[in-house]
Amino acid sequence: MPSKHFISWLFQYPVLWLSFGLLLVVLPVRPEIASLANLEILALSTAMLLVLAIGQTFVLITAGIDLSLPAVMSLASVVGASLIGGEGPLAGSPFAVSGTLLAMGLVGLAIGTLQGIAVGVFRMPAFLVSLASLMFFGGLAVWYTRSARIALPDEFIQIWYGRLAGIPYPILLVVLLAACAHMILARTVIGRWLYAVGQSLPASFVSGVPVQRTILFAYMASGLCAAIGAVFYSARLHTGSPQLVENEVLLDCIGAAVMGGTSLFGGQGKILGVLFGTLFLALVGNSLNLLGLRYWHVIMIKGGVILLATLLDATRHRMQPVLGGLT
Amino acid sequence: MIQQRSIGVLALTYAPLLLYGLVVLFLAALAPQFLSVANFLNILVLASPVAIAAIGMTFVLISAGIDLSVGSTMFLAGAIAGRLVVDAGWPVVGVIPVMLAVGLGVGLLNGWLIARLKLVPFMVTLATLFSARGAGLWITETRAINLPDSFRQLAVVHPLGIPLPILILVVVLLTAETVLRRTVLGKHLYALGYNAQGDEHENGREAAKAGIDISAVLLRVYAIAGLCAAVGSIITLAQLAAVSPNLGQGIELEIIAATVLGGTSLFGGRGTAGGAVLGALLVETVRNGLNLVNADPYFYPLITGAIIFGAVLLDSMRQQRLTLLRHRNIRIPKAIG
Amino acid sequence: MPPSVSSPCVLFLALLVATGCAEPDPDRLKIGVAFDTLQTEYWVAGYEALRADLARRGIDMIEAIADNDSNRQLDQIHAFIARQVDGIIVAPKDAMSVVPMIHAANRSRIPIVIYNRPPSANDGHSVTVVADNYQIAKATVTYMAEKAKASGKHYKAMILIGDLGDINAIQRRDGFDAAVSEYQDILEVVARVPTEWSQEIAYAGVTNSLQIHPDINFIFTSSDFLFSSLVSALKNRGKYAKIGKPNHVLLGGFDGDSTAYRMLEEGYLDADGVQDVYFECAASLDAVLDLRQGKKVASIIQDPGFVIHQGNLAEKKSLMWGSQVAK
């Protein structure tokens, strides 16, 4: 029997019941949506977006924003592919995959560090810092391969297509990552610092939070998540590409975080909420694909669904006093 | 506030202008043809659509909001205008009010959702970004529309010897500065934005206490942003003499960047319309310079990105020095915005 | 829930159900058509031609546009498979990222035809219908250069380059470079304008370049859809004149759209590289239906394309798809 506590918890994430609502609406029209194959596709798209959204959430909690994500992913993708693909120096070596993963992670961490220093130490506005990175590193990725794509070998592709006990690797890895991120935010001192910095930077400075290191950590986490995302996206497409994702993915992952209760003004945000926000957006994309509507209707409906989710979120806020009595 | 301004403080206060001068000098050294009145007018004309939209964005950012829908608004207004001119045979003067009405309409819709229903600006304008683009694609069926030559004349005529786009930019800029500095709306806007820092759900609780009608201010702010986007769209259409399905796509980032480069904070309460114009000019000037020296196309994003980074770095160092100079003993960092 | 919030929600969900319910006859064949973009008239013309051709043959079309995002396109292909389509026609973003789509279709034994962009070497089964961007661009520019040579003058050239991440844009640029390199004595490339496939950026680039080189008199655009920007900028400089006038600029384009057709008819445009949209569409559709019936189909169907110019306009214009669209 659901307790009052559980109901109130449900109301915290309206985006979750909106997802169920959407599923119920689409199900009679396209029963394929509940097929096992499709549910796996849905889980995989959620996992892909979740990796990026987790990194973004760390930054959003500190009242920052990381627009550089598509560029970090593209650069990591081509750097990795240039090592392991074709005639690359790591191709065929026993450390091919591990070396490539290391290099890709380093790309993400390096750009994250750079941005963290710019925002944390030099107090530059996060929006512009990451926008400049988006341009610069995005351009660097295209320049690095001179627009070419690089095919990835089978052993790298296995990271996406491989399975353990029937469950695809990426789902296992993302569950692990989400659990780590949740622990960091909810249980560690660095998590408390992140929220403190986001809530009030001067106050946290006065009360002894190492502001600079905390901000640096957030951007490094975001860079690393972008690099992990790059591994997944590249392996899935068999391709190291200097335009691995479109900039629209930014709006998707920030949107997912915000729908899951993360504030753009910092200090708020939970991994569970972000998971629900991501699930919702993945479901919207999946449903629209299955419905096969005309191009412009797809875009309009996407806008409508986002508005709907926002409306429900506002309703929740207004009903909070009523629900407060439940718990 | 400080009473006595030293030369150092003064120089730092006008650092954005100095920085812009530095970029100009650098480009002039690379390409001698860069420094000419004709080229500077050319840059102003090319920058005017983004600059005007950035002026509208300044209002939104001061209110601690954001408007992601401006690019789609530009496209929707252009799509409707294109169909009216080409298919219904409307005269150019007839479609201009329609375009302005479309911009105003999208702005009012954003404003209504944000002000009355108290929704998060980022999500609302993200939704209108998709919906308006979808509607525009529906109207044009994703086809490009070529506009008649009469539309192009708008970008070519020189009343008073100045190209019309520059004249429009100046009028919009002066109006915006007047509204921001001299009217009640402007005062309320800064007060609202300043107090909104920190928590969007308590948006301007302090401001409300001070007797400001928050939703009236917010409604006007988004209406202004939509209107400015429509004006930018008119100039863009006049320049291109065409409406393509990707008109204004992704331009919202460029517009917000121009605004923030000009000293407006994303966290509200701070910003000027003049700064937004300067920011838009900086980006356009760099592109102009790269075109003039026939740079390798692969270097465009690298150089543009590096210059924006450099500009922001210098600006933040200036801000820190200014804070230091103004209050010598308090060294609490400001919010990162 | 306050009425102001609930009414749009209900309306919206009703709309979604209504649009989704238009379920077609289950006995008819279903073909999934996935395009990377509808950004230019070329893609729209191909898309509409496929739609019309499928309707004529009594086959249902399920459509999906990926907006330049390969990952989304892969999702869309998975959605086609989930809906058990009878065949797939896909216009991918690049040669590599289409490989996993081919694998997915092969696994489900659904015939797949690649439209306009050939896949890289892979072990999957697919048919490709493609025009040679490099050769057509080279032939177009060579024709222009021959005209320049015949005039005996010295020429200053400009090229409008497409998005550097787009393979077709790169091939057309390379075709331009290859042609120009053989005429170095009379041709000097003074402006290489990156456009990112945006009319606004193209307009600014052309305007800026004409500012510093008012004597540019040889221009090639990598896509016809940039002609409106190009012509607008030329008119502002008083440089848009018919062939034979002293201030005529040698103009060349690529695609064969209706704007280019009109400019040829009116005597402004010298040459245009044409991809035969209608041939490509009919060949794709034939191929996918033949594959379905188990017939053998060549793995590459080449659209030879051609250069249309003032000399062969009367003879070739019926083959130029822009002349059909222009009616």
Side-chain angles (χ1 to χ4, degrees):
Chain A
M1 197 188 111
S3 69
K4 283 179 177 178
H5 188 82
F6 179 69
I7 294 172
S8 136
W9 179 83
L10 263 185
F11 269 85
Q12 261 200 318
Y13 298 108
V15 73
L16 187 63
W17 34 283
L18 193 62
S19 302
F20 282 121
L22 186 62
L23 195 64
L24 286 180
V25 170
V26 179
L27 197 58
V29 189
R30 292 273 173 268
E32 303 94 323
I33 197 165
S35 71
L36 208 58
N38 190 63
L39 289 180
E40 186 180 299
I41 289 168
L42 190 60
L44 285 169
S45 354
T46 310
M48 285 164 74
L49 190 57
L50 185 59
V51 178
L52 310 179
I54 286 174
Q56 192 69 247
T57 302
F58 274 81
V59 174
L60 289 176
I61 287 174
T62 66
I65 194 164
D66 187 357
L67 303 176
S68 72
L69 198 132
V72 177
M73 290 177 71
S74 298
L75 190 62
S77 175
V78 289
V79 166
S82 71
L83 290 175
I84 197 172
E87 305 287 302
L90 287 178
S93 99
F95 306 107
V97 174
S98 49
T100 305
L101 291 180
L102 186 70
M104 292 174 77
L106 284 177
V107 169
L109 283 175
I111 299 176
T113 308
L114 186 77
Q115 299 193 116
I117 290 172
V119 176
V121 180
F122 291 101
R123 313 243 169 272
M124 294 160 68
F127 186 91
L128 284 177
V129 167
S130 58
L131 184 70
S133 303
L134 175 68
M135 286 181 177
F136 187 87
F137 294 109
L140 197 64
V142 178
W143 174 79
Y144 180 69
T145 66
R146 292 265 153 180
S147 309
R149 269 79 175 159
I150 302 164
L152 288 166
D154 268 342
E155 64 261 35
F156 189 84
I157 291 164
Q158 283 311 310
I159 299 172
W160 178 267
Y161 289 96
R163 280 161 194 271
L164 187 71
I167 304 168
Y169 283 158
I171 292 186
L172 295 171
L173 289 169
V174 173
V175 167
L176 202 66
L177 183 79
C180 284
H182 174 79
M183 292 305 283
I184 290 173
L185 286 179
R187 300 258 188 277
T188 66
V189 65
I190 186 106
R192 278 205 300 282
W193 287 344
L194 286 165
Y195 288 108
V197 166
Q199 269 150 10
S200 169
L201 198 126
S204 60
F205 186 79
V206 170
S207 57
V209 173
V211 173
Q212 299 186 345
R213 271 191 288 150
T214 307
I215 292 174
L216 183 64
F217 174 79
Y219 285 89
M220 286 175 74
S222 174
L224 187 63
C225 284
I228 298 172
V231 172
F232 288 160
Y233 278 67
S234 309
R236 181 176 191 237
L237 290 175
H238 301 200
T239 311
S241 166
Q243 283 188 337
L244 189 62
V245 286
E246 283 293 293
N247 288 351
E248 207 189 295
V249 77
L250 268 178
L251 299 179
D252 277 349
C253 77
I254 298 172
V258 172
M259 276 188 224
T262 309
S263 164
L264 287 171
F265 292 80
Q268 282 179 18
K270 286 190 183 130
I271 296 299
L272 194 62
V274 178
L275 168 67
F276 295 151
T278 320
L279 178 69
F280 175 69
L281 276 188
L283 185 64
V284 170
N286 184 257
S287 316
L288 289 175
N289 283 341
L290 282 175
L291 287 171
L293 306 172
R294 299 240 47 190
Y295 175 43
W296 36 83
H297 292 144
V298 169
I299 298 178
M300 287 173 76
I301 288 177
K302 190 164 178 191
V305 172
I306 291 172
L307 189 60
L308 196 66
T310 318
L311 275 167
L312 283 177
D313 193 50
T315 314
R316 167 181 70 98
H317 269 278
R318 249 170 275 169
M319 289 173 76
Q320 205 109 63
V322 185
L323 289 167
L326 279 173
T327 47
Chain B
M1 276 306 285
I2 44 158
Q3 297 302 320
Q4 292 173 310
R5 293 191 167 202
S6 67
I7 297 173
V9 172
L10 211 65
L12 285 172
T13 310
Y14 292 100
L17 218 56
L18 291 176
L19 179 77
Y20 184 73
L22 222 75
V23 171
V24 167
L25 280 181
F26 174 69
L27 289 171
L30 279 179
Q33 304 92 325
F34 175 82
L35 270 188
S36 70
V37 177
N39 192 41
F40 194 68
L41 287 180
N42 168 38
I43 293 174
L44 266 174
V45 170
L46 290 175
S48 55
V50 168
I52 290 170
I55 291 173
M57 189 66 78
T58 308
F59 283 79
V60 174
L61 293 191
I62 292 174
S63 79
I66 195 161
D67 188 351
L68 299 173
S69 69
V70 281
S72 295
T73 306
M74 291 172 82
F75 173 58
L76 181 61
I80 291 173
R83 288 302 293 255
L84 286 178
V85 170
V86 174
D87 296 339
W90 283 38
V92 171
V93 279
V95 296
I96 287 175
V98 175
M99 293 180 72
L100 294 176
V102 171
L104 192 65
V106 177
L108 282 173
L109 177 66
N110 283 333
W112 181 72
L113 290 165
I114 292 162
R116 308 279 171 195
L117 297 189
K118 311 238 180 321
L119 303 183
V120 188
F122 186 94
M123 298 311 294
V124 168
T125 56
L126 182 63
T128 33
L129 176 152
F130 285 116
S131 303
R133 167 113 358 226
L137 289 172
W138 195 3
I139 289 167
T140 61
E141 296 189 316
T142 72
R143 287 170 209 279
I145 301 174
N146 288 324
L147 298 171
D149 222 35
S150 50
F151 223 107
R152 199 181 55 84
Q153 292 306 319
L154 288 178
V156 187
V157 289
H158 287 59
L160 312 170
I162 305 164
L164 187 59
I166 298 182
L167 219 53
I168 296 175
L169 173 61
V170 171
V171 170
V172 173
L173 174 62
L174 291 179
T175 315
E177 283 292 349
T178 314
V179 169
L180 284 175
R181 288 176 191 204
R182 305 249 181 270
T183 65
V184 180
L185 175 65
K187 287 196 186 73
H188 283 181
L189 178 56
Y190 280 108
L192 169 71
Y194 190 76
N195 284 304
Q197 290 180 1
D199 186 349
E200 78 247 46
H201 294 303
E202 296 181 14
N203 204 345
R205 185 175 284 174
E206 300 288 320
K209 274 189 208 154
I212 297 175
D213 183 353
I214 295 170
S215 58
V217 174
L218 285 179
L219 193 66
R220 284 178 177 77
V221 159
Y222 287 91
I224 289 170
L227 204 57
C228 285
V231 175
S233 177
I234 293 170
I235 298 176
T236 306
L237 254 51
Q239 288 178 346
L240 303 179
V243 185
S244 73
N246 61 345
L247 181 89
Q249 198 162 338
I251 208 171
E252 57 276 351
L253 283 184
E254 196 180 323
I255 291 168
I256 298 170
T259 315
V260 180
L261 268 176
T264 301
S265 164
L266 277 169
F267 292 84
R270 186 159 60 87
T272 60
V277 174
L278 208 61
L281 276 180
L282 179 68
V283 176
E284 197 60 51
T285 305
V286 172
R287 182 186 295 154
N288 173 274
L290 290 170
N291 280 152
L292 293 196
V293 300
N294 192 21
D296 181 339
Y298 285 105
F299 289 155
Y300 277 65
L302 300 181
I303 292 170
T304 315
I307 287 182
I308 290 182
F309 190 85
V312 183
L313 179 63
L314 283 178
D315 186 60
S316 67
M317 287 162 79
R318 166 185 79 101
Q319 295 278 358
Q320 284 184 331
R321 286 263 347 127
L322 266 181
T323 329
L324 265 177
L325 280 173
R326 281 177 181 161
H327 356 244
R328 292 216 169 246
N329 32 23
I330 310 166
R331 296 181 67 177
I332 296 172
K334 293 170 47 180
I336 297 157
Chain C
M1 210 185 273
S4 62
V5 175
S6 57
S7 51
C9 295
V10 171
L11 197 75
F12 179 76
L13 285 177
L15 197 87
L16 190 66
V17 176
T19 48
C21 277
E23 181 62 25
D25 185 351
D27 293 336
R28 281 158 59 117
L29 286 182
K30 287 195 294 253
I31 302 285
V33 178
F35 267 42
D36 175 50
T37 174
L38 287 182
Q39 212 165 20
T40 71
E41 206 179 304
Y42 167 78
W43 295 110
V44 177
Y47 201 61
E48 293 299 329
L50 279 172
R51 165 178 291 282
D53 209 349
L54 281 163
R56 202 172 49 244
R57 300 190 201 199
I59 300 171
D60 284 323
M61 166 163 155
I62 304 174
E63 63 176 78
I65 310 298
D67 266 333
N68 295 315
D69 187 329
S70 307
N71 262 288
R72 186 178 301 145
Q73 190 161 56
L74 184 50
D75 287 338
Q76 289 168 342
I77 301 294
H78 283 307
F80 285 164
I81 294 170
R83 288 192 63 182
Q84 296 170 332
V85 294
D86 299 287
I88 295 171
I89 297 173
V90 55
K93 186 180 173 74
D94 58 60
M96 310 278 173
S97 59
V98 67
V99 174
M101 302 175 200
I102 296 173
H103 284 308
N106 286 170
R107 270 198 303 277
S108 310
R109 299 177 187 285
I110 294 173
I112 182 166
V113 171
I114 317 300
Y115 179 86
N116 199 268
R117 286 174 184 162
S120 65
N122 68 88
D123 52 6
H125 303 287
S126 64
V127 169
T128 305
V129 179
V130 71
D132 191 330
N133 280 277
Y134 173 83
Q135 283 302 340
I136 300 175
K138 188 178 172 192
T140 308
V141 178
T142 304
Y143 173 84
M144 292 167 70
E146 280 298 330
K147 269 193 83 171
K149 198 172 186 180
S151 77
K153 283 193 290 183
H154 186 83
Y155 279 80
K156 285 196 171 176
M158 163 155 72
I159 173 176
L160 277 70
I161 300 174
D163 193 303
L164 292 170
D166 178 351
I167 292 304
N168 286 357
I170 298 304
Q171 288 179 352
R172 293 172 201 176
R173 178 203 65 188
D174 291 347
F176 171 89
D177 285 342
V180 164
S181 67
E182 288 167 25
Y183 294 89
Q184 275 169 345
D185 45 332
I186 55 154
L187 271 176
E188 181 196 355
V189 183
V190 294
R192 309 171 72 83
V193 177
T195 67
E196 297 169 35
W197 288 145
S198 149
Q199 289 190 335
E200 292 107 303
I201 296 174
Y203 175 82
V206 173
T207 304
N208 288 333
S209 297
L210 288 175
Q211 177 80 30
I212 195 169
H213 300 293
D215 51 348
I216 283 178
N217 50 4
F218 185 109
I219 302 177
F220 175 73
T221 165
S222 299
S223 170
D224 287 347
F225 98 105
L226 296 175
F227 265 131
S228 59
S229 305
L230 176 58
V231 168
S232 191
L234 283 172
K235 277 182 182 167
N236 292 348
R237 279 258 157 199
K239 286 176 72 78
Y240 189 59
K242 288 190 178 182
I243 295 167
K245 292 271 165 57
N247 58 339
H248 171 69
V249 176
L250 257 170
L251 287 179
F254 195 104
D255 276 346
D257 79 5
S258 57
T259 307
Y261 170 69
R262 259 184 241 110
M263 288 169 67
L264 277 166
E265 280 282 355
E266 290 164 8
Y268 287 100
L269 178 60
D270 293 277
D272 202 51
V274 181
Q275 319 187 59
D276 193 342
V277 171
Y278 296 125
F279 168 81
E280 289 177 17
C281 289
S284 304
L285 209 46
D286 287 338
V288 87
L289 294 175
D290 285 349
L291 284 173
R292 205 185 105 74
Q293 289 167 0
K295 292 184 195 161
K296 263 212 175 310
V297 183
S299 67
I300 288 185
I301 300 168
Q302 191 91 34
D303 164 17
F306 57 92
V307 181
I308 192 163
H309 49 76
Q310 294 298 336
N312 65 5
L313 181 60
E315 159 204 355
K316 293 266 190 186
K317 73 177 174 189
S318 62
L319 296 174
M320 182 181 186
W321 57 272
S323 73
Q324 310 293 318
V325 176
K327 276 176 194 161

